[in-house]
Amino acid sequence: MAATMRQVAELAGVSLKSVSRVVNGEPNVSDELRHKVTAAIDQLGWQPNVLARTLRTGRTETVAVVVPDLRSGWVAALAQALVIEADRRGLRTAIEPCGRDGNRVVQVLTEQSTSFDGAIVVGGIHGADVSFAGRSPLPVCRIGTIGASGTATVGGGVGLDLGQAADVVGRHLRALRLQAPVVVGPHPDQPGAFAHALRQALDATAVLETGAVPSRAEGFRLAAQLVEELDRHDVVVCADDELALGVLAGLRRRGVRVPQQIALCGCGAVEDGRFSSPSLTTLSFPTGEIARIALDDLQRNWEPGSHRSVLTPVGATLVRRESTLGFAPAVPGPSGPIPPRPGGPR
């Protein structure tokens, strides 16, 4: 027999009204209450009656998730996190790939405005955030970036803190005595681009520019150029894991050992990086947390008379793996300098 809302309330030790407030995404719900109710829902496998709620509230209970495309592993992972979080709240999602044209985003949301209660527009870690200047007919939460200068590419919503992320990479590389980086990424001279943030944080003079949509094929191609300049660099820092995995394959094809001859770091924490050889050191933005913040923001904004424009910054953590850790001594000595790595810059 299917579980009921009353059973959820009893298991959580709260009232039916409290369960309703959590499920409907009402404002001013404490984290403790949300945790109790969602834990009870997960344990009982209860599914809210979406049709009944739609008839009662006049809402479709559907959220549009607007992405540039799904070729980026990180964007796909974030879209999946948004789907999972929406489902926990009894909401449906529709993935809408719209490229990087703000006019196209507005067109899609306008033509389908009766199908959605709101939209989450994903920019990403490449500085390719769409801009539509409040022209959407629906409540919108944007997921964009905060550059190294602290400038946000979105007015509200969620801002991925690129400056903080680049600083995390920089501290890791300095600890390993890696001092001659080359940055690989899209549009490195644009303040909203992650390659720009990396360039500033690492004080890197060498930058290889890629297309707007990073790919493994492009990283593989650029590996040939990196091999030619191997004596000038000791680490490659890629603005996207897709690029990093391509670079890794290209270096291996050309007989260059990672990390013995050159270290490698990516960004995005795509699953394939765990199983590459060597495994890939990468920056990880918390997709689950981003999804929770974005949906909280959106649901607050679709309440009558509620219009917020608050930017919530989200930082990254570094997942340290073999593609850089090969440079750290296995057992630090009591004193003396760290021995130079083999094959370093001359």
Side-chain angles (χ1 to χ4, degrees), residues 172-173 175-179 233-236 257-265 278 281 321-331 338-345:
H172 176 62
L173 299 187
L176 296 175
R177 306 293 201 273
L178 298 173
Q179 300 172 343
H233 309 295
D234 54 13
V235 58
V236 183
R257 294 175 298 161
V258 176
Q260 288 80 6
Q261 290 176 266
I262 191 165
L264 178 64
C265 181
T281 293
R321 296 193 182 121
E322 296 165 346
S323 66
T324 58
L325 287 183
F327 289 99
V331 180
I338 296 177
R341 67 176 182 82

PDB file of all heavy atoms in Angstrom, residues 172-173 175-179 233-236 257-265 278 281 321-331 338-345:
ATOM      1  N   HIS A 172      47.595  24.522  -4.035  1.00  0.00           N
ATOM      2  CA  HIS A 172      47.997  23.123  -4.224  1.00  0.00           C
ATOM      3  C   HIS A 172      49.290  23.043  -5.036  1.00  0.00           C
ATOM      4  O   HIS A 172      50.218  22.304  -4.677  1.00  0.00           O
ATOM      5  CB  HIS A 172      46.866  22.376  -4.934  1.00  0.00           C
ATOM      6  CG  HIS A 172      47.197  20.945  -5.264  1.00  0.00           C
ATOM      7  ND1 HIS A 172      47.479  20.004  -4.302  1.00  0.00           N
ATOM      8  CD2 HIS A 172      47.286  20.294  -6.467  1.00  0.00           C
ATOM      9  CE1 HIS A 172      47.720  18.839  -4.882  1.00  0.00           C
ATOM     10  NE2 HIS A 172      47.618  18.997  -6.192  1.00  0.00           N
ATOM     11  N   LEU A 173      49.364  23.805  -6.110  1.00  0.00           N
ATOM     12  CA  LEU A 173      50.547  23.751  -6.968  1.00  0.00           C
ATOM     13  C   LEU A 173      51.773  24.317  -6.251  1.00  0.00           C
ATOM     14  O   LEU A 173      52.883  23.773  -6.380  1.00  0.00           O
ATOM     15  CB  LEU A 173      50.290  24.519  -8.260  1.00  0.00           C
ATOM     16  CG  LEU A 173      49.133  24.004  -9.133  1.00  0.00           C
ATOM     17  CD1 LEU A 173      49.094  24.756 -10.453  1.00  0.00           C
ATOM     18  CD2 LEU A 173      49.225  22.504  -9.361  1.00  0.00           C
ATOM     19  N   ALA A 175      52.357  24.251  -3.092  1.00  0.00           N
ATOM     20  CA  ALA A 175      52.792  23.264  -2.104  1.00  0.00           C
ATOM     21  C   ALA A 175      53.638  22.174  -2.742  1.00  0.00           C
ATOM     22  O   ALA A 175      54.503  21.576  -2.079  1.00  0.00           O
ATOM     23  CB  ALA A 175      51.580  22.644  -1.409  1.00  0.00           C
ATOM     24  N   LEU A 176      53.412  21.925  -4.035  1.00  0.00           N
ATOM     25  CA  LEU A 176      54.161  20.904  -4.753  1.00  0.00           C
ATOM     26  C   LEU A 176      55.360  21.483  -5.508  1.00  0.00           C
ATOM     27  O   LEU A 176      55.997  20.776  -6.285  1.00  0.00           O
ATOM     28  CB  LEU A 176      53.233  20.174  -5.736  1.00  0.00           C
ATOM     29  CG  LEU A 176      52.087  19.380  -5.106  1.00  0.00           C
ATOM     30  CD1 LEU A 176      51.185  18.806  -6.179  1.00  0.00           C
ATOM     31  CD2 LEU A 176      52.627  18.272  -4.223  1.00  0.00           C
ATOM     32  N   ARG A 177      55.637  22.764  -5.293  1.00  0.00           N
ATOM     33  CA  ARG A 177      56.746  23.455  -5.950  1.00  0.00           C
ATOM     34  C   ARG A 177      56.586  23.474  -7.472  1.00  0.00           C
ATOM     35  O   ARG A 177      57.579  23.431  -8.207  1.00  0.00           O
ATOM     36  CB  ARG A 177      58.100  22.804  -5.590  1.00  0.00           C
ATOM     37  CG  ARG A 177      58.391  22.675  -4.105  1.00  0.00           C
ATOM     38  CD  ARG A 177      58.580  24.054  -3.446  1.00  0.00           C
ATOM     39  NE  ARG A 177      59.320  23.947  -2.208  1.00  0.00           N
ATOM     40  CZ  ARG A 177      58.766  23.704  -1.018  1.00  0.00           C
ATOM     41  NH1 ARG A 177      57.466  23.514  -0.937  1.00  0.00           N
ATOM     42  NH2 ARG A 177      59.523  23.646   0.068  1.00  0.00           N
ATOM     43  N   LEU A 178      55.384  23.542  -7.934  1.00  0.00           N
ATOM     44  CA  LEU A 178      55.109  23.660  -9.371  1.00  0.00           C
ATOM     45  C   LEU A 178      54.917  25.140  -9.681  1.00  0.00           C
ATOM     46  O   LEU A 178      53.979  25.769  -9.202  1.00  0.00           O
ATOM     47  CB  LEU A 178      53.865  22.854  -9.744  1.00  0.00           C
ATOM     48  CG  LEU A 178      53.978  21.347  -9.500  1.00  0.00           C
ATOM     49  CD1 LEU A 178      52.646  20.658  -9.733  1.00  0.00           C
ATOM     50  CD2 LEU A 178      55.056  20.734 -10.369  1.00  0.00           C
ATOM     51  N   GLN A 179      55.808  25.697 -10.476  1.00  0.00           N
ATOM     52  CA  GLN A 179      55.864  27.148 -10.604  1.00  0.00           C
ATOM     53  C   GLN A 179      55.821  27.646 -12.045  1.00  0.00           C
ATOM     54  O   GLN A 179      55.949  28.843 -12.281  1.00  0.00           O
ATOM     55  CB  GLN A 179      57.152  27.663  -9.938  1.00  0.00           C
ATOM     56  CG  GLN A 179      57.212  27.317  -8.459  1.00  0.00           C
ATOM     57  CD  GLN A 179      58.558  27.656  -7.835  1.00  0.00           C
ATOM     58  OE1 GLN A 179      59.540  27.852  -8.536  1.00  0.00           O
ATOM     59  NE2 GLN A 179      58.590  27.717  -6.503  1.00  0.00           N
ATOM     60  N   HIS A 233      57.336  24.327 -19.068  1.00  0.00           N
ATOM     61  CA  HIS A 233      56.225  24.199 -18.119  1.00  0.00           C
ATOM     62  C   HIS A 233      56.394  22.964 -17.245  1.00  0.00           C
ATOM     63  O   HIS A 233      56.979  21.958 -17.662  1.00  0.00           O
ATOM     64  CB  HIS A 233      54.889  24.115 -18.871  1.00  0.00           C
ATOM     65  CG  HIS A 233      54.703  25.209 -19.868  1.00  0.00           C
ATOM     66  ND1 HIS A 233      54.597  26.532 -19.508  1.00  0.00           N
ATOM     67  CD2 HIS A 233      54.619  25.179 -21.235  1.00  0.00           C
ATOM     68  CE1 HIS A 233      54.445  27.271 -20.591  1.00  0.00           C
ATOM     69  NE2 HIS A 233      54.468  26.483 -21.652  1.00  0.00           N
ATOM     70  N   ASP A 234      55.837  23.047 -16.038  1.00  0.00           N
ATOM     71  CA  ASP A 234      55.827  21.868 -15.174  1.00  0.00           C
ATOM     72  C   ASP A 234      54.412  21.427 -14.812  1.00  0.00           C
ATOM     73  O   ASP A 234      54.239  20.410 -14.143  1.00  0.00           O
ATOM     74  CB  ASP A 234      56.651  22.093 -13.898  1.00  0.00           C
ATOM     75  CG  ASP A 234      56.230  23.341 -13.121  1.00  0.00           C
ATOM     76  OD1 ASP A 234      55.152  23.892 -13.413  1.00  0.00           O
ATOM     77  OD2 ASP A 234      56.996  23.763 -12.229  1.00  0.00           O
ATOM     78  N   VAL A 235      53.376  22.176 -15.231  1.00  0.00           N
ATOM     79  CA  VAL A 235      52.001  21.768 -14.937  1.00  0.00           C
ATOM     80  C   VAL A 235      51.048  22.394 -15.957  1.00  0.00           C
ATOM     81  O   VAL A 235      51.241  23.542 -16.380  1.00  0.00           O
ATOM     82  CB  VAL A 235      51.593  22.172 -13.493  1.00  0.00           C
ATOM     83  CG1 VAL A 235      51.715  23.665 -13.268  1.00  0.00           C
ATOM     84  CG2 VAL A 235      50.184  21.696 -13.169  1.00  0.00           C
ATOM     85  N   VAL A 236      50.064  21.620 -16.360  1.00  0.00           N
ATOM     86  CA  VAL A 236      48.987  22.092 -17.228  1.00  0.00           C
ATOM     87  C   VAL A 236      47.723  22.189 -16.385  1.00  0.00           C
ATOM     88  O   VAL A 236      47.338  21.218 -15.725  1.00  0.00           O
ATOM     89  CB  VAL A 236      48.740  21.120 -18.409  1.00  0.00           C
ATOM     90  CG1 VAL A 236      47.649  21.673 -19.336  1.00  0.00           C
ATOM     91  CG2 VAL A 236      50.017  20.857 -19.174  1.00  0.00           C
ATOM     92  N   ARG A 257      54.992  11.292 -19.839  1.00  0.00           N
ATOM     93  CA  ARG A 257      54.448  10.697 -18.619  1.00  0.00           C
ATOM     94  C   ARG A 257      53.882  11.777 -17.700  1.00  0.00           C
ATOM     95  O   ARG A 257      54.531  12.780 -17.431  1.00  0.00           O
ATOM     96  CB  ARG A 257      55.538   9.917 -17.887  1.00  0.00           C
ATOM     97  CG  ARG A 257      56.045   8.693 -18.643  1.00  0.00           C
ATOM     98  CD  ARG A 257      57.203   8.061 -17.912  1.00  0.00           C
ATOM     99  NE  ARG A 257      58.340   8.984 -17.809  1.00  0.00           N
ATOM    100  CZ  ARG A 257      59.335   8.856 -16.938  1.00  0.00           C
ATOM    101  NH1 ARG A 257      59.325   7.864 -16.060  1.00  0.00           N
ATOM    102  NH2 ARG A 257      60.329   9.732 -16.925  1.00  0.00           N
ATOM    103  N   VAL A 258      52.665  11.520 -17.230  1.00  0.00           N
ATOM    104  CA  VAL A 258      51.988  12.388 -16.266  1.00  0.00           C
ATOM    105  C   VAL A 258      51.827  11.597 -14.978  1.00  0.00           C
ATOM    106  O   VAL A 258      51.282  10.494 -14.996  1.00  0.00           O
ATOM    107  CB  VAL A 258      50.603  12.825 -16.795  1.00  0.00           C
ATOM    108  CG1 VAL A 258      49.853  13.649 -15.749  1.00  0.00           C
ATOM    109  CG2 VAL A 258      50.738  13.621 -18.094  1.00  0.00           C
ATOM    110  N   PRO A 259      52.323  12.107 -13.845  1.00  0.00           N
ATOM    111  CA  PRO A 259      52.876  13.450 -13.611  1.00  0.00           C
ATOM    112  C   PRO A 259      54.397  13.517 -13.617  1.00  0.00           C
ATOM    113  O   PRO A 259      54.947  14.545 -13.252  1.00  0.00           O
ATOM    114  CB  PRO A 259      52.341  13.756 -12.219  1.00  0.00           C
ATOM    115  CG  PRO A 259      52.404  12.422 -11.524  1.00  0.00           C
ATOM    116  CD  PRO A 259      52.047  11.398 -12.581  1.00  0.00           C
ATOM    117  N   GLN A 260      55.094  12.428 -14.018  1.00  0.00           N
ATOM    118  CA  GLN A 260      56.551  12.413 -13.887  1.00  0.00           C
ATOM    119  C   GLN A 260      57.225  13.524 -14.692  1.00  0.00           C
ATOM    120  O   GLN A 260      58.215  14.109 -14.255  1.00  0.00           O
ATOM    121  CB  GLN A 260      57.092  11.043 -14.328  1.00  0.00           C
ATOM    122  CG  GLN A 260      56.810   9.909 -13.368  1.00  0.00           C
ATOM    123  CD  GLN A 260      55.408   9.372 -13.506  1.00  0.00           C
ATOM    124  OE1 GLN A 260      54.662   9.765 -14.395  1.00  0.00           O
ATOM    125  NE2 GLN A 260      55.057   8.453 -12.611  1.00  0.00           N
ATOM    126  N   GLN A 261      56.690  13.832 -15.891  1.00  0.00           N
ATOM    127  CA  GLN A 261      57.292  14.873 -16.716  1.00  0.00           C
ATOM    128  C   GLN A 261      56.516  16.191 -16.674  1.00  0.00           C
ATOM    129  O   GLN A 261      57.106  17.261 -16.798  1.00  0.00           O
ATOM    130  CB  GLN A 261      57.410  14.387 -18.165  1.00  0.00           C
ATOM    131  CG  GLN A 261      58.447  13.288 -18.349  1.00  0.00           C
ATOM    132  CD  GLN A 261      58.461  12.770 -19.771  1.00  0.00           C
ATOM    133  OE1 GLN A 261      57.805  11.788 -20.071  1.00  0.00           O
ATOM    134  NE2 GLN A 261      59.206  13.433 -20.635  1.00  0.00           N
ATOM    135  N   ILE A 262      55.225  16.108 -16.515  1.00  0.00           N
ATOM    136  CA  ILE A 262      54.415  17.319 -16.377  1.00  0.00           C
ATOM    137  C   ILE A 262      53.132  16.964 -15.635  1.00  0.00           C
ATOM    138  O   ILE A 262      52.533  15.902 -15.866  1.00  0.00           O
ATOM    139  CB  ILE A 262      54.098  17.944 -17.757  1.00  0.00           C
ATOM    140  CG1 ILE A 262      53.496  19.345 -17.587  1.00  0.00           C
ATOM    141  CG2 ILE A 262      53.213  17.036 -18.605  1.00  0.00           C
ATOM    142  CD1 ILE A 262      53.478  20.168 -18.869  1.00  0.00           C
ATOM    143  N   ALA A 263      52.736  17.803 -14.709  1.00  0.00           N
ATOM    144  CA  ALA A 263      51.515  17.559 -13.915  1.00  0.00           C
ATOM    145  C   ALA A 263      50.304  18.071 -14.688  1.00  0.00           C
ATOM    146  O   ALA A 263      50.424  18.828 -15.654  1.00  0.00           O
ATOM    147  CB  ALA A 263      51.622  18.232 -12.561  1.00  0.00           C
ATOM    148  N   LEU A 264      49.121  17.661 -14.231  1.00  0.00           N
ATOM    149  CA  LEU A 264      47.889  18.021 -14.937  1.00  0.00           C
ATOM    150  C   LEU A 264      46.754  18.181 -13.940  1.00  0.00           C
ATOM    151  O   LEU A 264      46.583  17.359 -13.036  1.00  0.00           O
ATOM    152  CB  LEU A 264      47.534  16.936 -15.962  1.00  0.00           C
ATOM    153  CG  LEU A 264      46.256  17.115 -16.772  1.00  0.00           C
ATOM    154  CD1 LEU A 264      46.340  18.345 -17.674  1.00  0.00           C
ATOM    155  CD2 LEU A 264      45.973  15.864 -17.604  1.00  0.00           C
ATOM    156  N   CYS A 265      45.964  19.250 -14.099  1.00  0.00           N
ATOM    157  CA  CYS A 265      44.812  19.499 -13.230  1.00  0.00           C
ATOM    158  C   CYS A 265      43.636  19.939 -14.093  1.00  0.00           C
ATOM    159  O   CYS A 265      43.820  20.680 -15.063  1.00  0.00           O
ATOM    160  CB  CYS A 265      45.151  20.574 -12.209  1.00  0.00           C
ATOM    161  SG  CYS A 265      43.812  20.956 -11.053  1.00  0.00           S
ATOM    162  N   PRO A 278      46.970   8.412 -15.359  1.00  0.00           N
ATOM    163  CA  PRO A 278      46.667   8.491 -13.923  1.00  0.00           C
ATOM    164  C   PRO A 278      45.316   9.147 -13.677  1.00  0.00           C
ATOM    165  O   PRO A 278      44.784   9.820 -14.556  1.00  0.00           O
ATOM    166  CB  PRO A 278      47.807   9.361 -13.388  1.00  0.00           C
ATOM    167  CG  PRO A 278      48.138  10.257 -14.540  1.00  0.00           C
ATOM    168  CD  PRO A 278      47.994   9.411 -15.760  1.00  0.00           C
ATOM    169  N   THR A 281      43.489  14.953 -10.996  1.00  0.00           N
ATOM    170  CA  THR A 281      43.245  15.990  -9.985  1.00  0.00           C
ATOM    171  C   THR A 281      42.302  17.030 -10.585  1.00  0.00           C
ATOM    172  O   THR A 281      42.483  17.463 -11.724  1.00  0.00           O
ATOM    173  CB  THR A 281      44.560  16.665  -9.576  1.00  0.00           C
ATOM    174  OG1 THR A 281      45.381  15.713  -8.883  1.00  0.00           O
ATOM    175  CG2 THR A 281      44.308  17.857  -8.660  1.00  0.00           C
ATOM    176  N   ARG A 321      44.430  13.948  -6.870  1.00  0.00           N
ATOM    177  CA  ARG A 321      44.636  12.594  -7.409  1.00  0.00           C
ATOM    178  C   ARG A 321      46.027  12.463  -8.017  1.00  0.00           C
ATOM    179  O   ARG A 321      46.873  13.335  -7.875  1.00  0.00           O
ATOM    180  CB  ARG A 321      43.544  12.271  -8.428  1.00  0.00           C
ATOM    181  CG  ARG A 321      42.125  12.221  -7.836  1.00  0.00           C
ATOM    182  CD  ARG A 321      41.168  11.584  -8.818  1.00  0.00           C
ATOM    183  NE  ARG A 321      39.793  11.556  -8.309  1.00  0.00           N
ATOM    184  CZ  ARG A 321      38.751  12.131  -8.928  1.00  0.00           C
ATOM    185  NH1 ARG A 321      38.932  12.786 -10.073  1.00  0.00           N
ATOM    186  NH2 ARG A 321      37.542  12.068  -8.421  1.00  0.00           N
ATOM    187  N   GLU A 322      46.236  11.395  -8.744  1.00  0.00           N
ATOM    188  CA  GLU A 322      47.579  11.018  -9.185  1.00  0.00           C
ATOM    189  C   GLU A 322      48.196  11.988 -10.196  1.00  0.00           C
ATOM    190  O   GLU A 322      49.420  12.075 -10.292  1.00  0.00           O
ATOM    191  CB  GLU A 322      47.535   9.624  -9.810  1.00  0.00           C
ATOM    192  CG  GLU A 322      47.157   8.534  -8.843  1.00  0.00           C
ATOM    193  CD  GLU A 322      46.770   7.240  -9.526  1.00  0.00           C
ATOM    194  OE1 GLU A 322      46.532   7.248 -10.759  1.00  0.00           O
ATOM    195  OE2 GLU A 322      46.709   6.215  -8.832  1.00  0.00           O
ATOM    196  N   SER A 323      47.387  12.708 -10.948  1.00  0.00           N
ATOM    197  CA  SER A 323      47.959  13.535 -12.017  1.00  0.00           C
ATOM    198  C   SER A 323      48.769  14.722 -11.503  1.00  0.00           C
ATOM    199  O   SER A 323      49.493  15.358 -12.263  1.00  0.00           O
ATOM    200  CB  SER A 323      46.852  14.034 -12.951  1.00  0.00           C
ATOM    201  OG  SER A 323      45.978  14.927 -12.283  1.00  0.00           O
ATOM    202  N   THR A 324      48.662  15.022 -10.196  1.00  0.00           N
ATOM    203  CA  THR A 324      49.554  16.013  -9.585  1.00  0.00           C
ATOM    204  C   THR A 324      50.313  15.442  -8.394  1.00  0.00           C
ATOM    205  O   THR A 324      51.446  15.845  -8.135  1.00  0.00           O
ATOM    206  CB  THR A 324      48.791  17.257  -9.094  1.00  0.00           C
ATOM    207  OG1 THR A 324      47.788  16.864  -8.144  1.00  0.00           O
ATOM    208  CG2 THR A 324      48.153  18.000 -10.259  1.00  0.00           C
ATOM    209  N   LEU A 325      49.740  14.511  -7.677  1.00  0.00           N
ATOM    210  CA  LEU A 325      50.351  14.061  -6.424  1.00  0.00           C
ATOM    211  C   LEU A 325      51.630  13.278  -6.623  1.00  0.00           C
ATOM    212  O   LEU A 325      52.355  13.024  -5.660  1.00  0.00           O
ATOM    213  CB  LEU A 325      49.360  13.235  -5.609  1.00  0.00           C
ATOM    214  CG  LEU A 325      48.226  14.030  -4.953  1.00  0.00           C
ATOM    215  CD1 LEU A 325      47.357  13.130  -4.113  1.00  0.00           C
ATOM    216  CD2 LEU A 325      48.790  15.166  -4.112  1.00  0.00           C
ATOM    217  N   GLY A 326      51.938  12.900  -7.842  1.00  0.00           N
ATOM    218  CA  GLY A 326      53.201  12.223  -8.101  1.00  0.00           C
ATOM    219  C   GLY A 326      54.400  13.089  -7.792  1.00  0.00           C
ATOM    220  O   GLY A 326      55.502  12.584  -7.662  1.00  0.00           O
ATOM    221  N   PHE A 327      54.158  14.405  -7.648  1.00  0.00           N
ATOM    222  CA  PHE A 327      55.277  15.295  -7.360  1.00  0.00           C
ATOM    223  C   PHE A 327      55.583  15.405  -5.876  1.00  0.00           C
ATOM    224  O   PHE A 327      56.640  15.883  -5.507  1.00  0.00           O
ATOM    225  CB  PHE A 327      54.975  16.700  -7.905  1.00  0.00           C
ATOM    226  CG  PHE A 327      55.019  16.733  -9.395  1.00  0.00           C
ATOM    227  CD1 PHE A 327      53.860  16.674 -10.131  1.00  0.00           C
ATOM    228  CD2 PHE A 327      56.219  16.810 -10.062  1.00  0.00           C
ATOM    229  CE1 PHE A 327      53.891  16.700 -11.499  1.00  0.00           C
ATOM    230  CE2 PHE A 327      56.260  16.840 -11.437  1.00  0.00           C
ATOM    231  CZ  PHE A 327      55.097  16.775 -12.161  1.00  0.00           C
ATOM    232  N   ALA A 328      54.649  15.005  -5.030  1.00  0.00           N
ATOM    233  CA  ALA A 328      54.874  15.114  -3.594  1.00  0.00           C
ATOM    234  C   ALA A 328      55.761  13.965  -3.125  1.00  0.00           C
ATOM    235  O   ALA A 328      55.570  12.818  -3.535  1.00  0.00           O
ATOM    236  CB  ALA A 328      53.544  15.077  -2.846  1.00  0.00           C
ATOM    237  N   PRO A 329      56.772  14.218  -2.262  1.00  0.00           N
ATOM    238  CA  PRO A 329      57.596  13.117  -1.746  1.00  0.00           C
ATOM    239  C   PRO A 329      56.748  12.162  -0.937  1.00  0.00           C
ATOM    240  O   PRO A 329      55.854  12.577  -0.202  1.00  0.00           O
ATOM    241  CB  PRO A 329      58.635  13.827  -0.870  1.00  0.00           C
ATOM    242  CG  PRO A 329      58.009  15.139  -0.516  1.00  0.00           C
ATOM    243  CD  PRO A 329      57.145  15.513  -1.686  1.00  0.00           C
ATOM    244  N   ALA A 330      57.013  10.854  -1.076  1.00  0.00           N
ATOM    245  CA  ALA A 330      56.214   9.848  -0.381  1.00  0.00           C
ATOM    246  C   ALA A 330      56.321  10.016   1.128  1.00  0.00           C
ATOM    247  O   ALA A 330      55.347   9.919   1.848  1.00  0.00           O
ATOM    248  CB  ALA A 330      56.668   8.449  -0.796  1.00  0.00           C
ATOM    249  N   VAL A 331      57.557  10.270   1.615  1.00  0.00           N
ATOM    250  CA  VAL A 331      57.770  10.489   3.051  1.00  0.00           C
ATOM    251  C   VAL A 331      58.566  11.779   3.196  1.00  0.00           C
ATOM    252  O   VAL A 331      59.758  11.817   2.879  1.00  0.00           O
ATOM    253  CB  VAL A 331      58.536   9.321   3.694  1.00  0.00           C
ATOM    254  CG1 VAL A 331      58.731   9.580   5.190  1.00  0.00           C
ATOM    255  CG2 VAL A 331      57.808   8.015   3.460  1.00  0.00           C
ATOM    256  N   ILE A 338      63.040  19.965  -1.108  1.00  0.00           N
ATOM    257  CA  ILE A 338      62.394  18.867  -1.824  1.00  0.00           C
ATOM    258  C   ILE A 338      63.193  18.597  -3.093  1.00  0.00           C
ATOM    259  O   ILE A 338      63.519  19.525  -3.836  1.00  0.00           O
ATOM    260  CB  ILE A 338      60.937  19.228  -2.181  1.00  0.00           C
ATOM    261  CG1 ILE A 338      60.147  19.403  -0.885  1.00  0.00           C
ATOM    262  CG2 ILE A 338      60.304  18.163  -3.057  1.00  0.00           C
ATOM    263  CD1 ILE A 338      58.729  19.835  -1.120  1.00  0.00           C
ATOM    264  N   PRO A 339      63.555  17.361  -3.381  1.00  0.00           N
ATOM    265  CA  PRO A 339      64.358  17.063  -4.567  1.00  0.00           C
ATOM    266  C   PRO A 339      63.615  17.514  -5.825  1.00  0.00           C
ATOM    267  O   PRO A 339      62.391  17.435  -5.901  1.00  0.00           O
ATOM    268  CB  PRO A 339      64.509  15.533  -4.527  1.00  0.00           C
ATOM    269  CG  PRO A 339      64.211  15.144  -3.123  1.00  0.00           C
ATOM    270  CD  PRO A 339      63.245  16.154  -2.616  1.00  0.00           C
ATOM    271  N   PRO A 340      64.350  18.006  -6.841  1.00  0.00           N
ATOM    272  CA  PRO A 340      63.679  18.398  -8.084  1.00  0.00           C
ATOM    273  C   PRO A 340      63.079  17.205  -8.765  1.00  0.00           C
ATOM    274  O   PRO A 340      63.590  16.097  -8.680  1.00  0.00           O
ATOM    275  CB  PRO A 340      64.817  19.018  -8.910  1.00  0.00           C
ATOM    276  CG  PRO A 340      66.061  18.385  -8.371  1.00  0.00           C
ATOM    277  CD  PRO A 340      65.800  18.154  -6.900  1.00  0.00           C
ATOM    278  N   ARG A 341      61.969  17.433  -9.435  1.00  0.00           N
ATOM    279  CA  ARG A 341      61.309  16.348 -10.154  1.00  0.00           C
ATOM    280  C   ARG A 341      62.092  16.030 -11.413  1.00  0.00           C
ATOM    281  O   ARG A 341      62.728  16.916 -12.000  1.00  0.00           O
ATOM    282  CB  ARG A 341      59.878  16.721 -10.500  1.00  0.00           C
ATOM    283  CG  ARG A 341      59.794  17.831 -11.511  1.00  0.00           C
ATOM    284  CD  ARG A 341      58.364  18.106 -11.902  1.00  0.00           C
ATOM    285  NE  ARG A 341      58.335  19.150 -12.917  1.00  0.00           N
ATOM    286  CZ  ARG A 341      58.538  18.939 -14.216  1.00  0.00           C
ATOM    287  NH1 ARG A 341      58.773  17.713 -14.637  1.00  0.00           N
ATOM    288  NH2 ARG A 341      58.527  19.918 -15.074  1.00  0.00           N
ATOM    289  N   PRO A 342      62.056  14.791 -11.892  1.00  0.00           N
ATOM    290  CA  PRO A 342      62.730  14.458 -13.155  1.00  0.00           C
ATOM    291  C   PRO A 342      62.025  15.103 -14.331  1.00  0.00           C
ATOM    292  O   PRO A 342      60.802  15.180 -14.374  1.00  0.00           O
ATOM    293  CB  PRO A 342      62.620  12.930 -13.206  1.00  0.00           C
ATOM    294  CG  PRO A 342      61.443  12.589 -12.363  1.00  0.00           C
ATOM    295  CD  PRO A 342      61.428  13.634 -11.274  1.00  0.00           C
ATOM    296  N   GLY A 343      62.801  15.562 -15.305  1.00  0.00           N
ATOM    297  CA  GLY A 343      62.198  16.087 -16.540  1.00  0.00           C
ATOM    298  C   GLY A 343      61.599  17.447 -16.402  1.00  0.00           C
ATOM    299  O   GLY A 343      60.770  17.851 -17.200  1.00  0.00           O
ATOM    300  N   GLY A 344      61.974  18.232 -15.359  1.00  0.00           N
ATOM    301  CA  GLY A 344      61.378  19.548 -15.141  1.00  0.00           C
ATOM    302  C   GLY A 344      61.932  20.577 -16.095  1.00  0.00           C
ATOM    303  O   GLY A 344      62.818  20.304 -16.905  1.00  0.00           O
ATOM    304  N   PRO A 345      61.414  21.815 -16.006  1.00  0.00           N
ATOM    305  CA  PRO A 345      61.889  22.854 -16.887  1.00  0.00           C
ATOM    306  C   PRO A 345      63.359  23.169 -16.657  1.00  0.00           C
ATOM    307  O   PRO A 345      63.820  23.135 -15.537  1.00  0.00           O
ATOM    308  CB  PRO A 345      61.014  24.071 -16.517  1.00  0.00           C
ATOM    309  CG  PRO A 345      60.050  23.620 -15.499  1.00  0.00           C
ATOM    310  CD  PRO A 345      60.369  22.243 -15.097  1.00  0.00           C
TER     311      PRO A 345
END
